[in-house]
Amino acid sequence: MTVDAVPVPGALPDEPRAWELVLESIERDLLSGRLRPGDRLAPERALAASLGVGRSSVREAIRVLEVLGLVRTATGSGPTSGAIIVALPGGGMSALMRLQVAARGFPVADVVKTRLVLEAAVVTELAEAHGSPARASTSVPVPTSVPTSVPVPMSVPVPAAAAAAAATDAGTTVPTPAGGQTGVGTGSLARAEQLLDAMDAPGRTEAEFLALDAQFHLALAEASGNQVITATMAGLRSAIEAYARAGVARLGSWAETSARLRLEHREIVACIRAADPAAARRAVQSHIAGYYAETRLTETPGDAGSAEIPPAVPTRPVPSRPEPT
């Protein structure tokens, strides 16, 4: 005896919606090379006719692409009108990441693991760019009040490949050289150091300090010149800031912890400037894992690491100073 499938009332069809067909068509053209950055999309009427969809579906697809940072639109009939392909993926990636953080929340342990991988890679690359292999072996003096043996929590493993592939963490935008190539400049730490000076200012509230902390890590990522890592770090910035704030209540002394964090930040920059990739990698991993362990954010009922990122709280922006020329 067989039972025929019964349609579920209200079930959504499997066919893609019309505007998704437009997106798929544009994606195919990009992958094949028929469309490149700087090219103009076909007029709305022509796209609708060629794909067999309504003009409203074309407009909806273009709005999605504009939000993702893949097209720029302008009204009118001149050479800059219509929808033009642009190579600005960072903004779209960051926006999507921020929306995921806001809508669902990520487990704290997952955010920390991701930071350990990305930021270790960033500082390694920055340190390698600051000197030759011979200079990289130079020992780096570490402030005596900065703990250098903070254990990485067992719940936050650091993959060996990631530890060897150093990466980024930070907070501002570094201009992309002509031709779209990115790179690491030896003077690119100026913004990160400005943020450290701002953190040293007396009277900073905990929220202000942690906002500057998140900007500092983003600035390092931007200094690396890796647009994908920078976009990922920018998208995670609100999550990083939120879990850092959530951990303050679990600290024995905010004054002592913030003083240690400032010293650890200085140590990371010192290791980079001394061209010591291994020391820079250890410093940033100990810095991230140490705060995570100290705040005990996974000590919640249920599975360790299951705590979610709380909603971000707006903080007062700190004006940036122009970088020295």
Side-chain angles (χ1 to χ4, degrees):
M1 178 179 177
T2 60
V3 179
D4 293 333
V6 179
V8 178
L12 296 176
D14 292 334
E15 296 88 12
R17 288 168 288 188
W19 64 269
E20 292 177 315
L21 294 175
V22 180
L23 289 183
E24 291 172 1
S25 174
I26 294 173
E27 180 183 5
R28 286 194 299 270
D29 287 346
L30 287 168
L31 291 172
S32 67
R34 288 190 294 269
L35 276 177
R36 299 177 183 277
D39 290 348
R40 193 186 318 278
L41 293 181
E44 184 180 291
R45 186 187 300 275
L47 271 177
S50 65
L51 297 174
V53 300
R55 294 180 64 177
S56 61
S57 297
V58 174
R59 285 193 293 270
E60 189 171 359
I62 291 176
R63 281 197 295 269
V64 171
L65 292 173
E66 191 169 19
V67 170
L68 293 176
L70 293 176
V71 303
R72 174 181 57 78
T73 62
T75 57
S77 58
T80 61
S81 64
I84 299 175
I85 302 293
V86 294
L88 298 173
M93 287 181 61
S94 296
L96 288 174
M97 185 75 73
R98 287 196 303 270
L99 287 171
Q100 287 290 336
V101 170
R104 299 174 54 192
F106 289 141
V108 173
D110 288 354
V111 176
V112 175
K113 290 175 187 178
T114 302
R115 291 190 66 193
L116 287 169
V117 172
L118 295 180
E119 299 196 38
V122 165
V123 299
T124 299
E125 184 177 352
L126 287 172
E128 289 173 346
H130 273 72
S132 63
R135 185 184 172 192
S137 63
T138 304
S139 60
V140 179
V142 178
T144 56
S145 57
V146 177
T148 58
S149 59
V150 179
V152 175
M154 294 302 293
S155 60
V156 189
V158 181
T168 195
D169 180 22
T172 54
T173 303
V174 174
T176 302
Q181 299 300 314
T182 58
V184 181
T186 56
S188 59
L189 294 176
R191 172 61 175 161
E193 291 175 323
Q194 288 174 1
L195 290 165
L196 296 185
D197 292 339
M199 271 185 267
D200 288 339
R204 289 280 181 218
T205 65
E206 295 165 358
E208 288 174 343
F209 181 95
L210 293 173
L212 289 167
D213 185 303
Q215 290 178 44
F216 166 76
H217 287 275
L218 178 58
L220 292 181
E222 289 179 341
S224 76
N226 187 313
Q227 295 183 33
V228 176
I229 290 180
T230 300
T232 303
M233 287 295 300
L236 286 176
R237 176 174 161 181
S238 59
I240 293 168
E241 194 177 330
Y243 90 67
R245 280 199 315 274
V248 171
R250 298 173 179 243
L251 297 174
S253 169
W254 167 249
E256 292 180 3
T257 297
S258 60
R260 191 193 76 244
L261 294 177
R262 291 199 301 272
L263 287 169
E264 290 174 352
H265 289 149
R266 298 284 183 185
E267 180 193 1
I268 292 168
V269 174
C271 292
I272 292 171
R273 287 208 177 278
D276 191 335
R281 185 166 61 249
R282 287 194 301 270
V284 79
Q285 289 175 335
S286 293
H287 170 68
I288 294 169
Y291 185 83
Y292 176 82
E294 183 182 10
T295 54
R296 308 181 304 282
L297 284 173
T298 54
E299 292 185 7
T300 56
D303 184 31
S306 62
E308 291 189 345
I309 302 295
V313 177
T315 55
R316 176 159 55 95
V318 178
S320 60
R321 295 173 293 178
E323 293 192 14
T325 55

